[in-house]
Amino acid sequence: MTDKTSISEALLNRRMLICIFTGFSSGLPLYILISLVPAWLRTEGVDLKAIGLFALIQLPFTWKFLWSPLFDRFIPPLGRRRGWLIIAQIALLLVIPAYGYLHPKLDLWAIAYLSVIVAFFSASQDIVLDAYRRELLLDNELGLGNAIHVNAYKIAGLVPGALSLVLADHLPWSSVYLITALFMLPGILMTLLVNEPELKGAPKTLKAAVIEPFEEFRSRGLKPALLILAFIFFYKLGDSMATALATPFYLDMGFSKTEIGLIAKNAGLWPSVIGGLLGGVWMIRLGINRALWIFGAVQMVAILGFAWLAMVGHSPVWLAVVIGVEALGVGLGTSAFVAFIARATHPLYTATQFALFTSLAAVPRTFANAATGYMVEWVGWKFFFLVCFFIAIPGMLLLFKVAPWHGED
């Protein structure tokens, strides 16, 4: 698939359209947790240390591989993928509005518990969406399909990270969270309309669903398996930490919630769209290995933009530039990264292995990000972002082993 016709066909087929919906549905609840909730807490006077520790509520994303075998083993009425999807999506639609009836100063623990529930159903939805997408896409579509998924994932962030913040200046938080929750409806509609993937084989017992995926991965060899796990842990560590407190960072730089909503978030929309589509097309030509090298380098440079903004301070123009570069770089890096993870899974154990790999990728976002508030208080914003840049280097060095430039894709 290298000529213009084949690329056009790849972009326009029904599977790619479905990837838009899987990405949007997957991204919305996570961005509520990492963008809207921190902004809400900060505007209500909660300190940065407490907001940073709120990253720990995302533990379900780290441990989701523990219950992922259930989704491979048991089949609800609508099917193994669609059945579990509709359960998770309806739960999110019903739970998210509850934020609006709590007060950050008075109900901080209740907000934390509610966030864990949202994270659990969001992680469960991700398990099934990742497995569904892996089973839906052809092998030569993994790069493009996952790029579109990641692109839609980031666009979903504009709802809690932009629209909801603008609405918060004009509406009570109860209305803001209700409107935000309603954006789960496109994902629910997709689940009802798509076809169930062909069942290529399912574990016959729960024990088999738990053991066989790990046995298959271990059978590849101890050293290769450990290198893959290390790469998954480190590749996104730097940019994950850099963006953990993005919204509080913008607020501390003197930007209003409306500025953040209209300038910061929307400045990332078109670079994200263009970067995601270009990344997918480039991966068709480059292959996943070379894309990981090139996109990872751009991803690292994007981190330095935050350090520059910390020096410049309140500048709407530089805010738009920095966010645009970040959206492009991180979008490219993430699309190649997710394609790598999809390629590393075995078709018979999609849900469990995909969950294992993405759980490991969520470890930095959960534990390292929990310390970001303390780091900022200690070294300041500029040096914090410089530290994030250097933390990204080990992941790039591991590419020599797990995805060599001249290796086979």
Side-chain angles (χ1 to χ4, degrees):
M1 196 186 328
T2 56
D3 57 33
K4 293 181 180 179
T5 301
S6 60
I7 290 174
S8 175
E9 290 173 353
L11 282 170
L12 297 176
N13 71 47
R14 184 172 180 268
R15 293 185 293 276
M16 299 304 148
L17 177 62
I18 292 174
C19 287
I20 295 175
F21 284 90
T22 66
F24 189 89
S25 188
S26 179
L28 183 72
L30 176 62
Y31 278 105
I32 289 172
L33 293 173
I34 66 178
S35 292
L36 185 57
V37 171
W40 175 43
L41 297 178
R42 189 60 171 166
T43 56
E44 295 295 329
V46 178
D47 64 75
L48 275 177
K49 293 179 180 178
I51 296 173
L53 287 173
F54 249 72
L56 293 174
I57 63 177
Q58 298 172 45
L59 278 172
F61 292 99
T62 303
W63 298 105
K64 62 184 180 181
F65 67 91
L66 292 177
W67 67 93
S68 60
L70 296 173
F71 301 146
D72 271 337
R73 171 65 184 92
F74 298 108
I75 304 176
L78 279 180
R80 185 166 66 158
R81 302 309 180 207
R82 295 170 66 236
W84 288 116
L85 266 181
I86 201 69
I87 292 170
Q89 290 169 337
I90 290 177
L92 287 166
L93 178 67
L94 296 176
V95 170
I96 290 169
Y99 280 113
Y101 300 95
L102 300 171
H103 190 282
K105 284 290 185 69
L106 303 176
D107 307 307
L108 194 59
W109 279 107
I111 294 170
Y113 295 139
L114 178 62
S115 297
V116 171
I117 295 172
V118 172
F120 172 79
F121 285 113
S122 179
S124 298
Q125 180 190 223
D126 285 354
I127 292 170
V128 189
L129 282 176
D130 289 340
Y132 174 77
R133 199 172 63 257
R134 180 63 180 95
E135 294 164 355
L136 173 75
L137 297 172
L138 306 177
D139 286 347
N140 61 359
E141 294 177 335
L142 285 176
L144 181 58
N146 282 289
I148 291 174
H149 170 86
V150 170
N151 193 44
Y153 187 100
K154 290 179 69 68
I155 290 175
L158 294 174
V159 176
L163 175 63
S164 300
L165 290 178
V166 174
L167 291 176
D169 276 337
H170 307 283
L171 297 173
W173 282 105
S174 57
S175 299
V176 171
Y177 278 107
L178 175 60
I179 293 170
T180 305
L182 291 176
F183 280 89
M184 286 300 304
L185 291 176
I188 293 173
L189 185 63
M190 175 209 72
T191 301
L192 295 174
L193 293 178
V194 298
N195 296 322
E196 181 72 12
E198 182 182 349
L199 193 61
K200 297 180 180 179
K204 293 181 171 57
T205 65
L206 183 57
K207 181 180 179 180
V210 172
I211 295 175
E212 289 178 4
F214 295 92
E215 285 294 321
E216 189 281 328
F217 184 61
R218 189 178 62 82
S219 70
R220 305 179 195 183
L222 181 59
K223 184 178 179 180
L226 290 177
L227 284 171
I228 289 174
L229 294 178
F231 171 73
I232 290 172
F233 180 90
F234 284 109
Y235 187 69
K236 298 284 296 174
L237 179 58
D239 77 85
S240 177
M241 291 179 63
T243 56
L245 295 175
T247 304
F249 167 59
Y250 305 145
L251 291 168
D252 283 2
M253 292 298 103
F255 296 101
S256 69
K257 293 191 296 294
T258 297
E259 283 180 314
I260 295 170
L262 295 179
I263 300 175
K265 301 302 179 180
N266 285 292
L269 174 60
W270 292 112
S272 177
V273 171
I274 295 169
L277 293 177
L278 284 179
V281 172
W282 286 342
M283 267 191 279
I284 293 175
R285 299 181 179 275
L286 293 171
I288 294 173
N289 284 19
R290 293 184 182 185
L292 286 166
W293 282 91
I294 297 172
F295 299 169
V298 178
Q299 178 181 269
M300 285 182 63
V301 172
I303 297 173
L304 296 177
F306 288 105
W308 173 254
L309 186 61
M311 295 170 59
V312 173
H314 186 276
S315 170
V317 174
W318 276 114
L319 178 66
V321 171
V322 169
I323 294 303
V325 173
E326 184 271 339
L328 177 64
V330 176
L332 289 171
T334 303
S335 62
F337 181 60
V338 175
F340 171 85
I341 290 177
R343 186 181 66 182
T345 61
H346 190 284
L348 293 179
Y349 314 110
T350 311
T352 301
Q353 287 189 346
F354 216 125
L356 173 64
F357 297 149
T358 53
S359 292
L360 185 62
V363 169
R365 191 176 66 221
T366 303
F367 291 100
N369 291 4
T372 53
Y374 290 91
M375 292 176 65
V376 173
E377 295 280 355
W378 182 37
V379 301
W381 285 111
K382 182 180 75 173
F383 287 104
F384 166 70
F385 291 123
L386 291 175
V387 169
C388 293
F389 173 80
F390 286 106
I391 287 175
I393 293 175
M396 293 297 293
L397 294 177
L398 281 165
L399 285 172
F400 284 104
K401 294 294 186 180
V402 301
W405 181 265
H406 295 291
E408 295 183 5
D409 276 313

